[in-house]
Amino acid sequence: MIGPVQLMMIGFRGNRIPREVHDVVCSLMRDESCVHVLDMWSVAMRPDRTMRELTDSDLARTWSGTPGRLLSRLITEAGAEAALTSEPTTDDNGLFIAGRIGSLRQQMPAGSGVLILLVEHVWAIPLGGVVNRCHGFPVTDGWVGSTALEHLGLDPGATGPL
């Protein structure tokens, strides 16, 4: 059984993945108790708005597989963009409902890079099984941003229990 899979696109200035981001992603790849990185890929948007793969990134060299093998297929193959950007009506087989994912070319500013991760949420497999057996269904999901957390009196930069 595979857990819910999330596509994450993390933008950064320039054409290098910041060292701190690299270190955390490497840590996630080593410890798969909560998430499993299924694929990673990084690309840069040149000033002339053409894109190039960042094959020289340290992270790509750290990756044990072929970086972007799954993601490039997901993003570029026929029908994939429509599948990524359409809203599903229901999802009986998972916990998360996908949101819209816009075009990578439109979202990236010139002179920037993006690290794209395909992440399986391993922690959710037992929860998903129970929800499915109890005939539960996903209603919605989303990320709560730092501004909303601060409004609630939570410190997004804090570590440890609340």
Side-chain angles (χ1 to χ4, degrees), residues 17 37 46 67 100 118 123 135 142:
I17 298 167
V37 179
R46 294 180 175 130
R100 291 189 180 276
L118 194 61
W123 64 266
H135 305 289

Side-chain angles (χ1 to χ4, degrees), residues 144-162:
V144 178
S146 59
T147 303
L149 292 173
E150 288 169 356
H151 183 74
L152 294 173
L154 301 173
D155 180 0
T159 58
L162 298 177

